[in-house]
Amino acid sequence: MNPLTDNSIQQVRSVCPYCGVGCGIVMQVAQGRITKVTGDKNHPANFGRLCSKGFSCAEPLTAPDRLASAFARTQRGEKILPLPMDAALTQTAARLKKIISEHGPDAVALYVSGQLSMESQYLAGKLAKGFFRTNNIDSNSRLCMASAASGYKLSLGADGPPGSYQDIDRLDCALVIGSNMAECHPILFLRLLDRRKKSGAKIIVVDPRRTPTADKADLFLPIKPGTDLALLNGILHLLEKAGRVDATFVSQHTLDWEELRALLPQYSPERVANLTGLAEADIRLAAQWIGDAPAFTTFWTMGLNQSTHGTWQTNAICNLHLATGKICRPGSGPFSLTGQPNAMGGREVGYLSHTLPGQRSIADAEDRTTVEKIWGVAAGTIQSKPGFAAVEMFQKIEAGEVKAIWIIGTNPIASMPNRSRVIAALQKAELVIVQDAFHPTETTKYADILLPGALWAEAEGTMVNSERNVTLMPRAVAPPGEALADWEIISRVAQRLGFAEQFNYANASDVFDEIRQTWNPKTGYDLRGMDFGKLREQSRQWPFSPGAEQGELIRYVPPNSFTAGATDSPVTSAANPQAGTALLPSVCFPTKSGRANFFARPLLPPAEQPDAEFPFVLTNGRLEHQWHTLTKTGKVAALNKLNPGAFVQINPADAEQLGAHQGDLMRVTSRRGFAIYPVVVTPRVRPGECFAPIHWNDQFGENLCVNGLTSEAVDDISLQPEFKFSAVSLARVAAGWPDNFSAEQKNYLLLHLARIPSRGQSVPPNAPFTPAQRKFIDDLLASAMA
């Protein structure tokens, strides 16, 4: 039955469109609308569980600000006006062609998203690299997962976790570092708690802030921001001294251990405690638990990745697992948790400026030749020099080197670091094309052409979650107006540019079939055994070779080495709690030598440091019930009630020094800009540090965007920005509350004050305040905006 035409209630299985856990969902569809969303009890990512965002994920589909038609303007300063979709696609192609003709292919750039389907991501890269002949395409995955990807590739030979979610069911110790797993990946965290309840597994949490994840830890290490490398080296130093290094595994499967071993004595427990601010006894206990655990998994995400040394931190995690031999076996391995629902898929199909489909590299001549043959283009078509990564891309637009940018499914004015640069860049560009499902957003108002894209339930396609599981998203409801699937918009523009034969796809399944051709025997990336028919039955995990019954739970070992479903592996059984690598199958990493690589990675400081003018360190992150820049979750009343607004957390000692009280307004200033937030005084942050969530931006009020404060400094290898460490000053801009304000009035003001758009405007006339209270608020506004 077709849910688009059948009037009865239909059940449509799909995948949640938010984080990288990739939870399966079941949509109840009636009369062309999704009336209910529940968890899919048969999906291996969640087995029926959903978080608050998952349960409400269908609500944004019917939001009043859905972009249902195309818009365009020919001159800056003109009002952008609606026009038919066909005309907008023709105009898009013509204006891109003109710029390429006048300035060359590198005058054009694409900036895409980990929220797009894999088919859309693949076609965007194909059009840019194979037919525009520019590598200037990058993704917002550069902002979240690039350091994990580069670290994996250096240490293990290929991107992506070597294990699966089933490792959670088999581990004896979990190190959660740089990840607020309870709020950002809650379904996996519940699974981890289940494992502890069943087996007594230990959970170690490392974070500068006492998060809900830290509240559940067996051992919480409140680390000084920017010192994770010292801790990871210090733990390995203790393991090596205690004889916990697996000499057999190291000698048979790794390179350069002695170089790393020579570095480790610099990270004695005493020095690491001094560098990190942690108790020496806690550092020793963490090392003991890791060493004693037969099966040990590390989970990390933005807290480590969003650093100028993010790649090194991934290498240091891999060092721990390689040295102990706790990798490529059930319950053990370095597991990067992905931030977006299809960031894994995008990385696999080459939507970053240095990559090609099938986990291939722009810099590799053989890889370029392979992809050129698949695309049917002449040898030498794909350029050998990587394009501009995200931060440099917007710098080059501002400098005038890149004339046009096509932004698809992302909101860079809200999500890029030092967003004033992005604003200046879009103002300077000759042509800004924005393809989105909503308007207005912080970014769409700068568009010369607006193209309406369909959302996840309105267009067929696939997504890949953190454990390499591919799930089909069927088309459950129709998109609004003239909105189209993103892959179809890209394809239609390509056809109008003269590439009709190479972009002649009848449906998303055709695109997926082409993606299957990009399999890579070097890295093990393989989708050949799955197609849309099989994916309609259930999700499939790669590598999935032709004729396979299921995907492989663990990479880099022979097929079918481990059986799905068991909660205790032969390696970690009660009868063999300390079994060594002799029981393991052979391991072959996708490097030239077939061995994994150790890297000696010393601690280096973040790019900017606090000083007398900017004495505090600002960190940032997500909240449990909101996501990214609120273009979707901000439209869900229940979620807004749970996480209603922006704030800044400061320690009680700092609050006393600043004369700040709960609910006061605080001006947070960095070397790049400022924001104004209500204060939350809490011991959950360390003295000298503060925390603000990333979600609230211009659509919710002025001076709320945390990325007006963050730094453009990037990791030299991954080119990922250092969002998680910004030197700031704090200044109270409101003296405490007058006694005549009720709690209800305070809550109203904190929620709505930031929406007042500019100096000189007062509170709305219908707001519940007396004339005396209004005068206080007007004085407060003048102070805040000074």
Side-chain angles (χ1 to χ4, degrees), residues 149-160:
S150 57
Y152 271 139
K153 187 165 185 178
L154 286 171
S155 291
L156 307 182
D159 183 17

Side-chain angles (χ1 to χ4, degrees), residues 90 135 308 732:
T90 299
N135 293 329
T308 44
R732 187 186 60 177

Side-chain angles (χ1 to χ4, degrees), residues 494-623:
Q495 291 169 11
R496 285 163 168 79
L497 283 163
F499 310 126
E501 182 179 350
Q502 297 91 343
F503 287 82
N504 182 27
Y505 304 100
N507 48 46
S509 178
D510 286 352
V511 185
F512 186 81
D513 287 344
E514 186 169 308
I515 295 171
R516 292 163 60 204
Q517 297 178 39
T518 68
W519 74 289
N520 190 340
K522 293 181 181 178
T523 69
Y525 175 71
D526 193 353
L527 309 182
R528 290 176 300 159
M530 61 181 83
D531 57 27
F532 270 33
K534 289 184 177 179
L535 292 174
R536 291 189 201 284
E537 299 169 359
Q538 64 182 68
S539 65
R540 308 280 176 161
Q541 186 178 41
W542 70 261
F544 199 98
S545 58
E549 293 296 322
Q550 64 179 33
E552 296 296 330
L553 294 173
I554 296 178
R555 300 166 70 190
Y556 315 139
V557 295
N560 304 313
S561 294
F562 299 107
T563 304
T567 55
D568 291 290
S569 73
V571 178
T572 62
S573 66
N576 245 326
Q578 296 293 339
T581 53
L583 293 179
L584 288 172
S586 61
V587 179
C588 184
F589 292 98
T591 60
K592 289 183 179 180
S593 65
R595 296 168 176 254
N597 300 304
F598 283 111
F599 288 95
R601 299 304 199 191
L603 175 67
L604 294 177
E608 70 176 21
Q609 292 293 307
D611 58 18
E613 185 177 1
F614 301 100
F616 293 89
V617 173
L618 171 69
T619 63
N620 57 69
R622 280 168 44 190
L623 302 180

Side-chain angles (χ1 to χ4, degrees), residues 67-71 85 434-437 450-454 482-484 489:
L67 188 59
S69 65
F71 289 77
M85 186 65 163
V434 180
Q435 185 172 319
D436 209 310
L450 268 176
L451 300 174
E482 291 193 281
L484 294 172
I489 293 174

Side-chain angles (χ1 to χ4, degrees), residues 665-692:
L665 289 185
M666 185 71 69
R667 184 186 180 108
V668 184
T669 306
S670 77
R671 295 177 175 93
R672 291 156 292 277
F674 74 94
I676 298 173
Y677 301 123
V679 169
V680 175
V681 180
T682 174
R684 287 183 174 274
V685 292
R686 295 160 37 105
E689 298 164 16
C690 56
F691 169 88

Side-chain angles (χ1 to χ4, degrees), residues 17 38 100 124 163 233 274 294 472 531 582 594 631 700 707 709 719 747 772:
T38 57
I100 292 172
N233 285 336
N274 182 58
L472 178 68
D531 57 27
T631 52
F700 298 85
N707 283 321
L709 308 172
L719 305 180
N747 288 336

